[in-house]
Amino acid sequence: MEPLSTAFTFDLRRLTVLRELQRRGSLARTAQALHLTPSAISQQLATLARELGVPLTERDGRGVRLTGQARVLLAHADVIAAQLERARADLAAYTDGGRGTVTVGCFSSGILGLLPAALRGLRERLSQLRVDVVEAEPPDLFTALDAGQVDVAVAVDFAAAPPHTDPRYSREDLLTDVLDIALPPGHPLAERAEVPLRELARDVWIVGDAASCCGAVTRSVCAAAGFTPDIRHAVGDWAALAALVEAGAGVALVPRLVRSVHVRRSLALRPAEGETPSRNVFLAVRAGAEGDPVLGAVRDELRAAAAAVVHRPALR
């Protein structure tokens, strides 16, 4: 490698590739996330290494791993990205902050339970603002946030989400979303005020998406109750899940975020006995973007929508 020159410059866009490699752990997964080929990813990293004059990756079996210099650079990359976001926020604050486009990335039940109220509030508050919504979950949601394809991320804490201490994001908790047990009509436990999860060990289970946060929560709460759920059905739509439960195809955990939208009255919805299954819902923006007035308005309306969900009447 050539030594660092006194004219220390490089293409900031290539930092995105390096940051994604840190998150994904392999060239192939990084390429898939950024919609590039592994060869293109290797070329971007090699060019960045030449610009800096330091090695950024080294061989690790059939793959690669980050060098110490790469980790030093990534620590600065977080600061650089945050400062750029602050500059953009300051420029936005200089104007009236009521125009433009904001893209919100959100998981499916958040779109059902939070975004309608938030969007209504934003239309009344900033009538000239365009808000686009995309359905996404971690880690892809945060890849899109890093790349500027999403401005506000609404997500659930689970293994694929970034840790609370990740310096790339400014995040805040919105609500604790309780999950109730959905039982088909005539189920032996349907008349209980609360249902012990362990008594559903022999039932077939349905999840919204086996690889999603709901699938992870179902497995974890059943494991805590002492059994592995027999998951036979995984569907990507809450109305379809409710239809399967109603048809007697199994039982499910249903978040209260979607209770008033896609849960049929014929279903028995019961709280779990003992420790209540729940998931933490949070929002995040890129670090440094906290002062953006438009993003501030979006965050305000999401907070208000979340507060309304928290204060919904309890199940009867």
Side-chain angles (χ1 to χ4, degrees):
M1 287 285 174
E2 294 293 329
L4 293 176
S5 69
T6 54
F8 183 71
T9 60
F10 58 92
D11 190 336
L12 291 175
R13 291 172 297 182
R14 295 194 179 98
L15 283 179
T16 300
V17 177
L18 189 64
R19 294 171 90 189
E20 196 63 33
L21 178 60
Q22 181 187 40
R23 171 181 288 145
R24 302 287 177 168
S26 78
L27 293 174
R29 289 192 290 271
T30 300
Q32 184 178 24
L34 296 178
H35 306 292
L36 297 169
T37 64
S39 176
I41 295 296
S42 295
Q43 290 173 12
Q44 292 272 3
L45 293 172
T47 301
L48 181 59
R50 284 196 302 272
E51 289 175 339
L52 295 171
V54 297
L56 297 175
T57 60
E58 56 191 12
R59 300 301 303 176
D60 182 19
R62 294 186 176 182
V64 298
R65 63 186 171 201
L66 297 178
T67 63
Q69 294 99 319
R71 298 187 185 282
V72 169
L73 177 62
L74 284 166
H76 288 284
D78 295 334
V79 176
I80 292 168
Q83 193 59 46
L84 287 173
E85 288 298 331
R86 291 187 188 99
R88 178 157 57 180
D90 287 345
L91 290 171
Y94 188 79
T95 63
D96 62 7
R99 301 173 185 269
T101 300
V102 170
T103 301
V104 178
C106 187
F107 60 108
S108 63
S109 45
I111 292 174
L112 288 168
L114 286 176
L115 290 194
L119 292 177
R120 285 193 294 270
L122 282 169
R123 279 197 299 271
E124 295 174 2
R125 184 170 175 175
L126 298 173
S127 60
Q128 298 184 76
L129 177 67
R130 168 177 162 174
V131 182
D132 294 342
V133 176
V134 295
E135 182 180 340
E137 290 195 25
D140 293 337
L141 173 56
F142 286 87
T143 296
L145 183 61
D146 290 342
Q149 298 163 350
V150 163
D151 302 298
V152 179
V154 182
V156 172
D157 266 326
F158 73 114
H164 288 244
T165 55
D166 195 315
R168 291 173 292 182
Y169 313 113
S170 171
R171 57 174 282 167
E172 60 183 287
D173 293 338
L174 286 175
L175 76 152
T176 299
D177 185 26
V178 173
L179 289 89
D180 296 303
I181 300 170
L183 303 170
H187 191 281
L189 300 178
E191 299 305 316
R192 296 272 193 98
E194 294 183 338
V195 175
L197 274 165
R198 63 183 175 276
E199 294 192 26
L200 298 172
R202 297 183 179 276
D203 283 76
V204 172
W205 283 78
I206 307 165
V207 294
D209 184 335
S212 73
C213 57
C214 280
V217 169
T218 298
R219 290 185 181 87
S220 65
V221 299
C222 291
F227 68 95
T228 300
D230 179 11
I231 298 175
R232 298 189 193 176
H233 311 291
V235 293
D237 179 84
W238 289 106
L241 180 143
L244 287 174
V245 176
E246 186 179 43
V251 299
L253 290 178
V254 176
R256 291 188 183 175
L257 269 176
V258 304
R259 188 183 72 196
S260 62
V261 183
H262 273 323
V263 174
R264 304 176 182 210
R265 293 185 179 181
S266 60
L267 298 183
L269 286 176
R270 298 291 180 266
E273 184 179 270
E275 187 173 351
T276 305
S278 63
R279 53 190 189 161
N280 181 57
V281 179
F282 68 97
L283 69 80
V285 298
R286 291 179 292 275
E290 304 91 328
D292 186 303
V294 173
L295 297 187
V298 175
R299 296 166 79 180
D300 288 345
E301 295 303 328
L302 284 169
R303 288 189 208 103
V309 171
V310 171
H311 291 101
R312 281 177 185 166
L315 290 168
R316 297 179 179 177

